[in-house]
């Protein structure tokens, strides 16, 4: 397994530049037995969202607003420690960051236009409601049988 499988596409033709990704590795608390105590397999990926030139300005503004709670000085951080291998944790962290940025830069959904309920549907609902009411009223206490007497 040589090299990374990047570039990591955010959306369309926009991808994360390898030069702007800051990596840090540490010992993972995840699976691995004794191996865990000797290798730095946890991957921490940092991306300076505030200073990047890779994203269009509109996307960057949108992402900065949506990810405001996750940012520290304009930098977004993603960690991965599920795998025993550092390489797989690097892959996971990079894919996670790309997905996070794709979601944060997505255009806002179109506003919902309220629609009116057609009169026929409303009338049918009221008619069925009245029928049901009549049926239930017909089940009143009679003099015959049952536990109510």
């Amino acid at each position: 397994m040589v090299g990374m499988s990047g570039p990591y596409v955010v959306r369309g033709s926009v991808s994360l530049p390898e030069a702007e990704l800051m990596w840090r590795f540490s010992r993972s608390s995840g699976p691995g037995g004794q191996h865990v105590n000797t290798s730095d397999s946890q991957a921490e990926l940092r991306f300076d969202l505030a200073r990047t030139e890779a994203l269009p300005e509109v996307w960057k503004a949108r992402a900065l607003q949506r990810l405001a709670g996750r940012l520290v000085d304009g930098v977004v951080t993603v960690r991965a420690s599920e795998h025993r291998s550092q390489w797989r944790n690097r892959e996971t962290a990079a894919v996670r960051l790309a997905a996070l940025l794709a979601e944060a830069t997505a255009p806002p959904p179109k506003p919902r236009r309220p629609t009116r309920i057609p009169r026929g549907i409303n009338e049918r609902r009221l008619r069925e409601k009245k029928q049901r009411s009549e049926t239930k009223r017909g089940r009143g206490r009679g003099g015959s049988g049952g536990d109510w007497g």
Side-chain angles (χ1 to χ4, degrees), residues 112-117:
R112 180 188 174 276
R113 282 185 28 219
T115 55
R116 286 188 54 208
I117 298 172

Side-chain angles (χ1 to χ4, degrees), residues 29-94:
S29 63
Q34 293 176 347
H35 170 77
V36 154
N37 301 328
T38 60
S39 64
D40 292 341
S41 60
Q42 175 177 285
E44 180 180 287
L45 174 58
R46 298 172 45 151
F47 181 70
D48 196 340
L49 186 57
R51 292 192 188 89
T52 187
E53 298 294 321
L55 300 176
E57 283 303 315
V58 179
W59 288 17
K60 186 160 53 165
R62 207 180 285 153
L64 284 168
Q65 180 193 0
R66 290 184 182 167
L67 296 174
R70 283 193 68 151
L71 299 176
V72 177
D73 297 329
V75 177
V76 65
T77 305
V78 175
R79 278 196 189 94
S81 61
E82 298 83 58
H83 307 289
R84 285 184 61 167
S85 105
Q86 183 188 100
W87 186 83
R88 284 180 65 191
N89 282 329
R90 281 179 67 130
E91 287 290 305
T92 304

Side-chain angles (χ1 to χ4, degrees), residues 128-143:
E128 287 172 358
K129 213 171 158 179
K130 197 170 204 83
Q131 274 181 334
R132 187 83 179 132
S133 162
E134 291 295 323
T135 303
K136 288 190 169 192
R137 198 158 22 140
R139 294 180 188 160
R141 293 184 182 217

Side-chain angles (χ1 to χ4, degrees), residues 108-124:
K110 290 181 181 171
R112 180 188 174 276
R113 282 185 28 219
T115 55
R116 286 188 54 208
I117 298 172
R119 188 192 303 160
I121 290 177
N122 210 19
E123 285 175 356
R124 186 178 71 201

